[in-house]
Amino acid sequence: MSKPSQPPAFDERKPRSANWKRISIVVAAAAALFAGTTVATALAFSPTGSEPPDDALDSSASASEPASTTEAASEGAALAGPSESPSPEAVGDCGRAPSSTPKVTVTEVDTGGVIGYGQEGDTERLPMAIAARPGGSWLAWIGTDDRIHLGKLDCDDQLEGEPIAFEGVDLQDVIADEDGVVVLVTREGECGDGPLCGGESSPCRTMHMVRFDNAGEQVWEREVTNLGEGLDGYDDGARFIWWYQHHGRLATDGEHFAAYFGVAITVANGDCVDIHQGDRMQVVDADGNLVDHPDAFATGCSHSWTTRIVWDPAADEFVMVCATDNGCRIARPDPYETVAEGTCDGTLFGGDLVLAGDGARYWTAWSQGGEVRLARFSPENSSGELGIDAAHPHLVTYGQTHMLLAWEDGDGMRAQVRDSGTGATVGDDFTIDVPDHAYQAFKAYDDGSAAYPAAGDGDSILIARVMPLSG
């Protein structure tokens, strides 16, 4: 039986616990050097596969440690001084006003029961996910009752109304529009008889998109694996969810919803079957029907982990990247196209994927050997190290001209703003005082903010929001 060669380095994460009950904490970090000015330190890139120049290694290493919450806020106010021009106007339904420094709020949400982080890996359950919606957010989580819970958050990141609960083994992602929300979840499936050519059996599951309207009523659900109608997991041609890497992400073009996720691949081998691993992308229309979309495929990268997807309106296509041991690289699937060359040493990790600020180009954060890297690709590829020691970077669009790079730092997170066109750092690193999870994602909001759900104490989830940036 063919198994992914990626070792369990991503799975052997120790559970953490800390007192994270902090309500609406505002952090103004590194105000002294920020002051709304783009720092001239540009990210140096090297051609894919070559060693980056020395100045690329420390492009962010000179950032100073931020002051405490109170000191940073006071220092920022003192440096700002009286302003003769009006404050930047708030954008979006929630009226979040931009500022010249990245301010972070942390809000505790009492969910009534949510699973903790435990071990983090691409075969472990994802505890929670968030999505922007007009006038707030949708928050999804796995409850201690082993059901998927979904609730609305208002502009203050507090629950609005009663959450709903529905069937699901694992939560993958959530995405919303003005009419409702789509949640990507795994559910129980049937393995059938097989038999396997070797190895032990494991539960066979299916992947589903589930659509709810703004009142919380289910509108439709659609399986995006292919079990059912006589096809079980251990039948030749099955595409299903096994113990292999299977996390997934959602994207939308405004009319369709796309799911890109890890998948098990069943192949006949004489009188038995082998189970391989790869990834799959399927597209569903607004009515929940699978569509024959030019960007969709049955299998793409193999083996595959950290599947990432974004809609590019300029190119009119869904763009995807995976981490794969096919060539040991970060790659675009179907057909393979190298984004950044890596090494199959158990540390290759693909972070998030965002649009660049200069048209049909893309940024992806990734890591190798515990060092964060940033790659820009299409039409030309370039990648560089950043001088950041971390294994699982996060990247998200941050306003019109910036992106936010974040990573685990002790019991919390560190982050920095970068220009989405050039990759240059903008200001100093700052602290996000919530625990990191390797596979959870920041989400961008149309007002220029970005939000991240994190584990709190017991029954709570912490919503860390990096408020909009002016300029």
Side-chain angles (χ1 to χ4, degrees):
M1 174 166 46
S2 175
K3 298 181 180 180
S5 61
Q6 189 66 13
F10 298 150
D11 299 348
E12 295 176 353
R13 300 291 298 275
K14 295 180 180 180
R16 298 184 300 268
S17 62
N19 181 11
W20 292 103
K21 288 191 176 180
R22 304 190 178 202
I23 312 284
S24 299
I25 303 169
V26 178
V27 179
L33 293 180
F34 206 109
T37 303
T38 300
V39 174
T41 305
L43 173 63
F45 290 101
S46 63
T48 300
S50 65
E51 290 296 323
D54 291 341
D55 58 353
L57 300 179
D58 57 8
S59 62
S60 61
S62 62
S64 59
E65 290 294 320
S68 67
T69 301
T70 304
E71 291 170 347
S74 299
E75 183 181 2
L79 288 171
S83 176
E84 296 180 359
S85 59
S87 300
E89 292 185 3
V91 176
D93 297 332
C94 288
R96 299 185 180 106
S99 63
S100 60
T101 60
K103 293 185 170 68
V104 179
T105 65
V106 176
T107 305
E108 185 176 36
V109 178
D110 186 359
T111 65
V114 59
I115 65 170
Y117 278 178
Q119 289 191 333
E120 299 169 32
D122 208 6
T123 60
E124 304 292 337
R125 294 192 297 175
L126 191 75
M128 57 205 73
I130 197 169
R133 68 174 179 90
S137 307
W138 286 96
L139 179 65
W141 67 93
I142 302 178
T144 51
D145 58 358
D146 290 327
R147 289 169 64 79
I148 308 297
H149 295 252
L150 179 67
K152 280 184 178 180
L153 300 184
D154 61 19
C155 288
D156 295 321
D157 291 325
Q158 293 286 2
L159 277 174
E160 180 181 278
E162 289 295 321
I164 61 173
F166 60 99
E167 174 194 357
V169 175
D170 196 358
L171 169 68
Q172 303 299 327
D173 198 9
V174 57
I175 195 169
D177 57 20
E178 62 182 8
D179 296 319
V181 59
V182 173
V183 188
L184 185 64
V185 298
T186 61
R187 289 179 169 170
E188 297 292 352
E190 296 293 333
C191 287
D193 297 328
L196 299 177
C197 293
E200 297 179 358
S201 184
S202 179
C204 296
R205 290 167 177 156
T206 54
M207 187 77 78
H208 295 257
M209 289 189 200
V210 188
R211 172 70 162 176
F212 298 90
D213 62 22
N214 286 318
E217 296 293 328
Q218 182 173 316
V219 179
W220 49 257
E221 62 178 72
R222 174 60 57 189
E223 183 186 348
V224 287
T225 43
N226 71 349
L227 300 193
E229 297 183 356
L231 187 69
D232 293 330
Y234 294 166
D235 292 337
D236 183 37
R239 303 291 184 266
F240 69 104
I241 306 302
W242 213 31
W243 67 266
Y244 289 163
Q245 290 95 335
H246 60 265
H247 283 336
R249 294 283 179 89
L250 293 168
T252 181
D253 62 1
E255 297 180 359
H256 304 88
F257 299 96
Y260 181 39
F261 54 97
V263 71
I265 303 165
T266 306
V267 178
N269 184 2
D271 295 332
C272 56
V273 294
D274 287 324
I275 314 296
H276 301 269
Q277 193 275 344
D279 59 37
R280 179 178 177 89
M281 197 283 241
Q282 298 288 278
V283 179
V284 173
D285 65 19
D287 296 320
N289 302 307
L290 283 170
V291 298
D292 185 15
H293 196 279
D295 299 330
F297 47 81
T299 55
C301 301
S302 179
H303 303 105
S304 173
W305 58 97
T306 57
T307 51
R308 309 299 190 226
I309 184 170
V310 67
W311 169 252
D312 182 358
D316 193 32
E317 65 179 349
F318 290 103
V319 177
M320 291 150 278
V321 294
C322 69
T324 179
D325 59 4
N326 180 309
C328 302
R329 52 186 165 160
I330 306 298
R332 297 183 69 172
D334 193 42
Y336 278 119
E337 176 185 318
T338 298
V339 169
E341 294 181 358
T343 303
C344 287
D345 61 358
T347 68
L348 177 60
F349 181 88
D352 299 294
L353 173 66
V354 301
L355 298 178
D358 55 352
R361 300 179 64 121
Y362 317 97
W363 293 102
T364 187
W366 63 290
S367 63
Q368 182 85 66
E371 293 287 334
V372 176
R373 299 150 195 249
L374 195 60
R376 180 169 55 194
F377 64 97
S378 185
E380 297 178 354
N381 295 5
S382 54
S383 184
E385 296 182 17
L386 309 180
I388 298 171
D389 294 331
H392 309 104
H394 307 276
L395 190 67
V396 65
T397 299
Y398 183 43
Q400 297 296 316
T401 59
H402 299 111
M403 54 189 179
L404 187 70
L405 177 70
W407 61 94
E408 183 178 39
D409 183 55
D411 289 334
M413 303 175 74
R414 297 280 286 178
Q416 59 184 211
V417 179
R418 287 183 174 264
D419 185 281
S420 61
T422 66
T425 54
V426 181
D428 286 346
D429 296 358
F430 59 97
T431 297
I432 300 177
D433 199 8
V434 299
D436 175 73
H437 187 287
Y439 287 88
Q440 285 174 190
F442 282 82
K443 294 295 181 68
Y445 287 67
D446 62 3
D447 61 12
S449 66
Y452 179 85
D457 281 341
D459 295 341
S460 70
I461 293 175
L462 303 176
I463 307 299
R465 182 174 298 278
V466 185
M467 301 297 277
L469 192 67
S470 60

